Amino acid sequence: MGRRRELKEARATVSRSRLTTLTGPGGVGKTRLGIEVGQRLQTHFRDGAWMVDLGSLNPGAPISPIVASALAIQDQSNRGALERVTDYLQDKELLLFLDNCEHVLSGAGELVDRVLATAPGVRILTTSREPLSMAGEAIYPVPPLATPSVEDDHAVQDLERFESIALFVDRARNVVGDFAITPENQRAVIELCTRLDGMPLAIEFAVARLQSMSVTQLLDRLDQRFRLLSRGSRTAQPRHRTLQALIDWSYELCTPEEQVLWQRLSVFPSSFDLEAAEEICSFDGLVPDLVLDLLDRVVAKSILLTERNGEAVRYRQLMTVREYGADG
């Protein structure tokens, strides 16, 4: 839905780098953007574009077998899967899209390193809540969908130019066939999409409730978002079926120290700078130097978003992430 700027920038990044990682919090739309980039670039490669979904793997599992299967490599030898994949790819010209790498970073890094070294015609696109942290890796943070300001006045007919609103309306009509933004529900739709941070998957969860609720009723109960937004697709991976499971997955991928910092950062209602984080969060085992390192790691894991203005860097949590930390 929209994403014209992101598509252009992500395609340009893939064109100039052999390894590109789309990063961002769960539910922001990394997979959808990666699929679209792959589809638009597949004709640029002699052997096309190939997607490998790693989401079903257990944390830390090797990824070479599933990559070999996705590429339909016919090899009856006793060689290991990694060797079979690298041998197969060494003379290929293709885009290899590895989706959902955050829980198999070690295995993904090993395979990517070998492929880049032995297959000069292969480019790799990955999605992950944190980068692979490899030399030459280009990182493209996927932002939430654009939302209108709740302070500004907006004409009803102009609202769907905002991506989050357009997605909400499109999905709402699948649930309530005659759904439309009206002067009566306009404010509620804007506030709902804003409080959901413009996150596509959270919007999808919210729309499912329109079967039995109005937008205003939904908004009034959003302070219970983890109980309310619990009706995702039955065919989705378990961690994408509810908002609680989505954020639980990010929390479980953090170390105990990172989890503590996540909880402490939830006291900030809006953006904050490094000095504030060090002052407020440095107690009971977290010294300022440790806070600095942990802050860097939770930014890498898409728990914190950065806002840059020249040399000034500020941080903020999405509302859903902050509420989860406050309840932790």
Side-chain angles (χ1 to χ4, degrees), residues 47-239:
D47 299 301
W50 296 76
M51 177 180 176
V52 185
D53 184 2
L54 307 177
S56 63
L57 294 176
N58 292 324
I63 76 165
S64 299
I66 196 171
V67 174
S69 177
L71 293 173
I73 298 175
Q74 301 297 321
D75 189 336
Q76 303 302 318
S77 70
N78 292 323
R79 295 182 302 163
L82 179 58
E83 186 178 357
R84 287 187 282 121
V85 169
T86 53
D87 283 356
Y88 175 80
L89 291 176
Q90 63 182 347
D91 61 349
K92 297 293 189 294
E93 294 180 7
L94 57 79
L95 176 66
L96 181 61
F97 174 28
L98 304 176
D99 190 32
N100 295 307
C101 292
E102 60 268 1
H103 61 303
V104 288
L105 287 174
S106 178
E110 181 183 16
L111 182 137
V112 167
D113 185 60
R114 289 281 296 275
V115 169
L116 292 179
T118 60
V122 173
R123 288 180 183 262
I124 299 175
L125 173 65
T126 73
T127 67
S128 179
R129 300 190 191 193
E130 65 176 302
L132 274 62
S133 298
M134 299 183 62
E137 178 183 21
I139 302 168
Y140 184 81
V142 179
L145 297 175
T147 57
S149 169
V150 294
E151 286 83 20
D152 296 338
D153 291 327
H154 302 278
V156 170
Q157 63 271 20
D158 293 337
L159 280 175
E160 289 189 52
R161 66 187 176 88
F162 294 96
E163 296 167 336
S164 61
I165 304 293
L167 177 65
F168 184 92
V169 172
D170 179 79
R171 299 300 189 264
R173 287 173 180 160
N174 292 336
V175 179
V176 182
D178 61 349
F179 181 86
I181 298 179
T182 66
E184 291 73 27
N185 69 16
Q186 172 184 358
R187 182 76 179 182
V189 171
I190 293 173
E191 288 194 26
L192 184 66
C193 290
T194 299
R195 289 181 61 186
L196 293 176
D197 305 298
M199 299 291 285
L201 192 56
I203 291 172
E204 301 260 8
F205 290 150
V207 165
R209 287 289 186 178
L210 295 181
Q211 179 176 315
S212 57
M213 302 170 66
S214 71
V215 181
T216 301
Q217 289 173 322
L218 185 56
L219 178 65
D220 288 344
R221 290 159 178 79
L222 201 59
D223 58 344
Q224 308 169 49
R225 67 179 66 202
F226 292 108
R227 184 181 64 82
L228 189 67
L229 306 184
S230 57
R231 295 183 57 191
S233 170
R234 289 191 180 95
T235 61
Q237 294 172 7
R239 61 179 175 271

Side-chain angles (χ1 to χ4, degrees), residues 247-266 281 286 294-295 297-298 301 303 317 321-322 324-328:
I247 309 301
D248 280 345
W249 179 245
S250 291
Y251 191 76
E252 290 163 6
L253 292 173
C254 292
T255 65
E257 293 82 6
E258 292 164 356
Q259 293 171 354
V260 169
L261 182 63
W262 180 343
Q263 293 166 7
R264 293 181 183 178
L265 291 174
S266 67
C281 300
L286 297 188
L294 291 174
L295 193 73
R297 283 152 52 181
V298 296
K301 292 184 175 182
I303 306 305
Q317 289 182 313
V321 172
R322 180 163 57 84
Y324 185 97
D327 291 342

